[in-house]
Amino acid sequence: MAAQLPSRPVQIALLGAGIFARDAYLPILKASEAEIALRFVWSRSQGSAEALAAAWVAAGGAARGAAVEAVWGEEGLARIERSEEVEACVLVLPVQVQPALVLRLLKAGKHVMQEKPIAADYPQALALHAEASLLSAPLSAASSARPSSPQGPLWAVGENFRLEPAFDQAREIISHLGTMLAVQVVAETSLTPANKYFPSQWRRDPDFTGAFITDCGVHYVAAMCHMTGRRVWSVAAFASHQIADVPPPDNFAATLKFEDGSVGTLSISFSYTPRNHMVWRVVCVGGTVEVRRGPHSSGDGRFGYTVSLDLPPGASLPPSCPSPSFHSLLGIQQELSLFAAAVAARRDQGTHTQGEAGNQEDHTSQGIASPPVSLDPRLSPLAALGDLAIMHAAVQSANSPVAAGTPQPVPVVPV
């Protein structure tokens, strides 16, 4: 679903200057200047912040609008907090430091979108959600420096796999295929020194349970849960460690039990595999849907997701159902666009509520409450919490001190 363009670009600060911020976010922000205006880039170090700002200029991002300012450390963070210009902050930081910054920025009245995972582990994510939910409650003149806002700041989690159009299409097709029988998710990635994420230190933190498996696994289960529309109830898993240079585990296999009684498997391998391969397959009574990530079959250089469908002989889909097709990668673009649209709607709602120079009616004073501005549910922290809950249960099962592979219930996400 395309987001409506805001009346004027949303002013943001980008926190984080690593590989993903530079290679994934900057090009999309440059292409989204009608919706989003980048004002600050922040990093914990001066060198990283200035390098990202220089990359923005080199990409042509300073061609129109105000220049982007590089800030860093505590002083730079305080500047962003105080800035009346900055409406929202996008966090692309190590998972270990994001929760504290999410809370700090929400307290400062900034709308926040953070990268996944929502936190380093499920207990920490629960605590973050409990506290952040209070900060996102309706603001009052007594408790906020911005009493004109009809609600608290927005908090989103950018899980870009869930925003990929391919999984929307797969979900729609699956809805026409009757009872779901089985799900298979396979991810094979060659995690060698040639992989730009290989040296990532935060993923190698011994306190980050599951390491690359958890960080990437939330992607895989987010896509799976979105396309199936079903919750996982329990998980039993095994893991192994084969490559000394990759933090454990690097091979992982889990069986899944869904709420409707159907079953599934999740297989992840980060050893020295000869290919990068990701596939989601859902078997239903009326057919099988597959989503495969990789190059387009034509070899024309396009990369994305291919949706395919196998139907029983003589079967067909309703005319209203979309035909399986190829989809380019759009997840990050979608999440930024939807987040910016929600921030702009909140801003415009606040402006409308105040009235303009007495020429616009104040609907609040007349007892007509403005409808709350909400995020697209695919950006919901609850959805991200659910993704981490599945991986938490899976890693707990694999690491069971009694017996690996012992089934673990998936924690119920609070509503």
Side-chain angles (χ1 to χ4, degrees):
M1 179 176 61
Q4 183 176 357
L5 284 176
S7 56
R8 65 180 187 276
V10 170
Q11 316 289 304
I12 75 160
L14 177 63
L15 282 71
I19 296 169
F20 202 60
R22 182 195 66 212
D23 293 354
Y25 274 80
L26 281 193
I28 293 172
L29 288 170
K30 171 64 179 67
S32 305
E33 289 179 313
E35 303 168 80
I36 303 169
L38 184 61
R39 290 292 169 255
F40 289 93
V41 293
W42 177 90
S43 180
R44 289 171 288 178
S45 69
Q46 177 180 353
S48 295
E50 290 179 340
L52 190 67
W56 174 255
V57 172
R64 61 189 226 188
V68 170
E69 185 174 354
V71 294
W72 53 89
E74 176 60 31
E75 182 180 343
L77 193 59
R79 282 198 60 194
I80 291 172
E81 288 179 294
R82 293 192 304 265
S83 173
E84 294 184 0
E85 186 180 31
V86 174
E87 301 171 82
C89 297
V90 176
L91 277 58
V92 190
L93 291 160
V95 68
Q96 294 88 342
V97 302
Q98 285 199 142
L101 287 177
V102 166
L103 294 173
R104 179 171 173 174
L105 293 165
L106 289 174
K107 288 175 183 176
K110 306 299 184 186
H111 303 291
V112 175
M113 188 178 83
Q114 65 165 105
E115 258 295 327
K116 61 83 215 163
I118 185 173
D121 59 45
Y122 186 72
Q124 185 182 138
L126 271 180
L128 171 62
H129 184 267
E131 188 168 354
S133 295
L134 294 175
L135 296 171
S136 295
L139 300 177
S140 66
S143 64
S144 172
R146 298 165 64 193
S148 61
S149 176
Q151 301 124 40
L154 297 165
W155 173 37
V157 178
E159 171 44 73
N160 55 294
F161 276 40
R162 189 179 283 111
L163 272 293
E164 293 292 353
F167 296 108
D168 287 332
Q169 184 182 71
R171 182 185 176 106
E172 172 65 18
I173 295 172
I174 289 167
S175 71
H176 294 279
L177 298 180
T179 303
M180 188 174 83
L181 303 175
V183 178
Q184 299 150 15
V185 180
V186 177
E188 301 171 5
T189 298
S190 184
L191 199 56
T192 68
N195 187 310
K196 63 183 177 181
Y197 297 109
F198 180 83
S200 170
Q201 289 304 307
W202 66 265
R203 293 181 178 91
R204 297 171 180 272
D205 183 347
D207 294 330
F208 182 31
T209 306
F212 282 91
I213 293 290
T214 296
D215 179 47
C216 298
V218 293
H219 272 321
Y220 310 146
V221 300
M224 176 190 72
C225 291
H226 182 64
M227 70 185 288
T228 63
R230 290 159 174 85
R231 177 177 170 262
V232 177
W233 271 9
S234 65
V235 184
F238 292 91
S240 68
H241 188 213
Q242 304 296 328
I243 307 299
D245 291 341
V246 177
D250 56 5
N251 288 273
F252 188 85
T255 56
L256 316 171
K257 187 67 175 291
F258 290 84
E259 59 185 335
D260 62 355
S262 56
V263 296
T265 58
L266 169 64
S267 174
I268 305 173
S269 179
F270 289 147
S271 295
Y272 292 156
T273 66
R275 62 176 181 172
N276 289 326
H277 172 74
M278 294 181 200
V279 62
W280 294 257
R281 184 179 296 109
V282 178
V283 182
C284 300
V285 169
T288 298
V289 177
E290 182 177 282
V291 179
R292 185 176 297 271
R293 178 184 169 107
H296 190 273
S297 59
S298 67
D300 61 3
R302 287 182 290 167
F303 189 92
Y305 296 89
T306 300
V307 181
S308 59
L309 171 65
D310 287 327
L311 292 172
S316 62
L317 291 173
S320 60
C321 188
S323 299
S325 58
F326 176 83
H327 301 264
S328 297
L329 300 180
L330 289 174
I332 299 173
Q333 179 180 327
Q334 292 257 78
E335 67 191 21
L336 282 169
S337 181
L338 290 168
F339 177 65
V343 171
R346 178 67 63 84
R347 175 189 66 201
D348 295 345
Q349 186 182 70
T351 301
H352 179 73
T353 302
Q354 293 177 69
E356 296 179 3
N359 295 325
Q360 191 175 53
E361 292 181 336
D362 186 339
H363 284 220
T364 303
S365 66
Q366 298 178 38
I368 304 174
S370 299
V373 173
S374 59
L375 285 164
D376 186 289
R378 293 171 294 176
L379 292 174
S380 164
L382 280 176
L385 191 60
D387 302 335
L388 189 58
I390 295 170
M391 292 309 300
H392 170 80
V395 172
Q396 290 285 101
S397 175
N399 291 344
S400 173
V402 178
T406 301
Q408 296 285 324
V410 175
V412 177
V413 173
V415 177

